[in-house]
Amino acid sequence: MDHGNMHDMPPPSTPSMMNNGSMNGGGHHKMMMMHMTFFWGKNTEVLFSGWPGTSSGMYALCLIFVFFLAVITEWLAHSSLLRGTAGDSANLTSGLVQTAVYTLRTGLAYLVMLAVMSFNAGVFLAALAGHAIGYMLFGSRAFRNPSGDRKTNDPPASERSKNGSVSSRQNYSKIRI
């Protein structure tokens, strides 16, 4: 197939061509062109038809909404509800809670993805910042509580002495690292 003459082809159909009945079965629907490249500006549609509209305040609310969706997604991804504990893995209730949290997290992640697919650069940066802040707060070691429910780097029980302290061999390896 020769693609050398593709630049001579006419441009894709425009909304005015679609509204004359040739493309949509004769209906008179208002069509909005969707951006397929990133753009800056407050006049966009994100997640719902007509939202946030042309208002600067609604656009700011949209950015805040997308930011917090991303933060909540990261919180759920690193939540102890999603991981559970070793003793609870066979518990039906625990499994149902884990499944519900996983489903909620996945749904929120898809909403963030769909918001980014508006190709608005502000929405993209809000989602990126939300994921970064969410990971920093809930997934990064920088803000972890050392006595929290996360797995720690404690040595296995076989390397502990009878009184519960770490053996000298283990202390030496920690110092060396």
Side-chain angles (χ1 to χ4, degrees):
M1 192 185 287
D2 182 22
H3 295 290
N5 293 327
M6 287 186 77
H7 57 82
D8 295 334
M9 295 176 65
S13 300
T14 62
S16 62
M17 289 173 64
M18 289 183 186
N19 285 337
N20 67 10
S22 63
M23 298 287 282
N24 63 7
H28 295 282
H29 300 284
K30 181 180 176 185
M31 299 278 300
M32 184 179 144
M33 290 300 292
M34 185 173 142
H35 285 273
M36 295 306 290
T37 58
F38 279 102
F39 69 98
W40 290 97
K42 64 179 177 55
N43 298 337
T44 186
E45 283 190 354
V46 178
L47 297 178
F48 307 105
S49 179
W51 189 72
T54 58
S55 165
S56 296
M58 289 302 289
Y59 179 68
L61 180 65
C62 170
L63 296 180
I64 292 168
F65 180 73
V66 170
F67 174 83
F68 280 111
L69 272 180
V71 169
I72 292 168
T73 301
E74 288 296 324
W75 173 66
L76 289 173
H78 299 288
S79 170
S80 62
L81 291 172
L82 192 57
R83 286 189 314 275
T85 61
D88 287 342
S89 61
N91 187 351
L92 178 63
T93 305
S94 175
L96 291 174
V97 168
Q98 287 176 339
T99 301
V101 170
Y102 177 80
T103 303
L104 179 63
R105 181 190 64 87
T106 303
L108 293 177
Y110 277 125
L111 282 176
V112 172
M113 179 198 65
L114 288 171
V116 169
M117 287 177 61
S118 71
F119 286 100
N120 183 283
V123 171
F124 174 72
L125 292 176
L128 199 62
H131 279 295
I133 297 296
Y135 180 79
M136 183 179 72
L137 293 175
F138 306 115
S140 172
R141 292 176 187 240
F143 293 101
R144 272 194 203 158
N145 183 2
S147 63
D149 64 335
R150 301 227 178 230
K151 288 184 177 179
T152 61
N153 290 330
D154 289 341
S158 62
E159 294 192 17
R160 290 185 174 272
S161 64
K162 290 183 180 176
N163 65 4
S165 65
V166 178
S167 67
S168 60
R169 182 175 61 101
Q170 185 68 22
N171 279 333
Y172 178 74
S173 67
K174 284 185 177 180
I175 294 170
R176 212 174 37 166
I177 297 174

